[in-house]
Amino acid sequence: MSAASAKRIYTFPLYAGGAQTYFDLGYIYGAGDYFLYSHSTYTLGADRGGNRAKLAAIDLRKAAAGEVVVPRELLTFDSSFSLYRSFIAVDQEREEVLLVNYPEDGKGGYTKHSKLLDIATGKSQVLTGTITTEKKKRPAKSHYGAITTDTKEDYFVAHYEVKGERRSLEINMPTGKQWYYDWWYQEYGEKINLSATP
């Protein structure tokens, strides 16, 4: 690909309805015939915590056919996606998104909710089986100015079941705070109590 051969399919807007309110582009992923991205809005000088992020899809087949492309919103993330070990995993081959979130149970703990979102239809199915996560390592490179070293990086894989079929997906977006707290403990040996953190 080059600048000369590239084709513009969509221009992500800057302004979100006001002179001081802007769109904020988040994660970007490909999934088969779809381009996925997360986004939110923010207003200068305002608390950014209150804006809910959204996940949208662009049909690349329509873009390739020369049609005007309009993103289709798939879902809005509520606050439960920022709790505990919530995550999102994109299945590029099946054009699906695995969503695992942890709403508070009212007793000081969390309840796991899991569903599988079909990108083409926007419909989702609730998954009732056990979903586990596995920490793995893969080769990576670290860059310090002109020096590059080979190292290993952590990543996580979700294991789940759909209609009796066992599947595994790399977790693309670990959204819950507990992922960070676990990393902090691994790096610095200090535990952070999630329930005591505002």
Side-chain angles (χ1 to χ4, degrees):
M1 181 186 288
S2 68
S5 65
K7 179 180 179 181
R8 183 192 304 256
I9 60 171
Y10 178 68
T11 301
F12 186 75
L14 174 62
Y15 295 105
Q20 300 297 313
T21 304
Y22 300 88
F23 280 108
D24 188 9
L25 182 62
Y27 293 92
I28 297 174
Y29 292 103
D33 290 321
Y34 297 91
F35 173 82
L36 300 178
Y37 68 93
S38 64
H39 65 95
S40 60
T41 61
Y42 69 95
T43 301
L44 294 180
D47 177 18
R48 294 185 74 163
N51 296 323
R52 292 185 174 182
K54 298 182 178 185
L55 184 67
I58 292 175
D59 189 332
L60 297 176
R61 294 167 299 186
K62 291 183 179 179
E67 296 180 33
V68 175
V69 174
V70 178
R72 181 170 44 93
E73 288 188 2
L74 296 175
L75 67 121
T76 299
F77 301 111
D78 62 37
S79 61
S80 67
F81 277 94
S82 66
L83 299 173
Y84 197 55
R85 293 173 67 90
S86 300
F87 65 85
I88 298 164
V90 177
D91 189 330
Q92 297 180 0
E93 293 180 11
R94 294 182 180 91
E95 298 178 346
E96 296 173 336
V97 181
L98 174 64
L99 304 161
V100 178
N101 59 317
Y102 288 83
E104 293 176 287
D105 63 5
K107 303 172 188 174
Y110 303 93
T111 302
K112 181 190 283 189
H113 288 189
S114 310
K115 64 182 178 181
L116 199 60
L117 176 69
D118 183 286
I119 298 169
T121 64
K123 295 179 180 177
S124 61
Q125 60 176 303
V126 174
L127 301 180
T128 56
T130 301
I131 296 180
T132 60
T133 58
E134 178 185 7
K135 182 178 177 180
K136 294 188 171 187
K137 289 192 175 288
R138 62 181 161 210
K141 295 199 178 284
S142 294
H143 304 282
Y144 304 95
I147 300 171
T148 300
T149 59
D150 291 322
T151 184
K152 299 262 187 192
E153 69 177 5
D154 294 337
Y155 71 103
F156 291 86
V157 173
H159 303 289
Y160 62 106
E161 187 173 305
V162 180
K163 298 177 182 175
E165 177 190 2
R166 292 294 299 166
R167 298 181 183 177
S168 297
L169 276 180
E170 181 177 341
I171 295 173
N172 308 103
M173 298 167 58
T175 62
K177 296 174 184 174
Q178 190 64 47
W179 297 99
Y180 172 74
Y181 296 155
D182 290 348
W183 170 84
W184 184 272
Y185 177 70
Q186 179 183 345
E187 288 291 311
Y188 301 107
E190 179 184 349
K191 284 195 174 184
I192 300 174
N193 184 353
L194 180 60
S195 63
T197 304

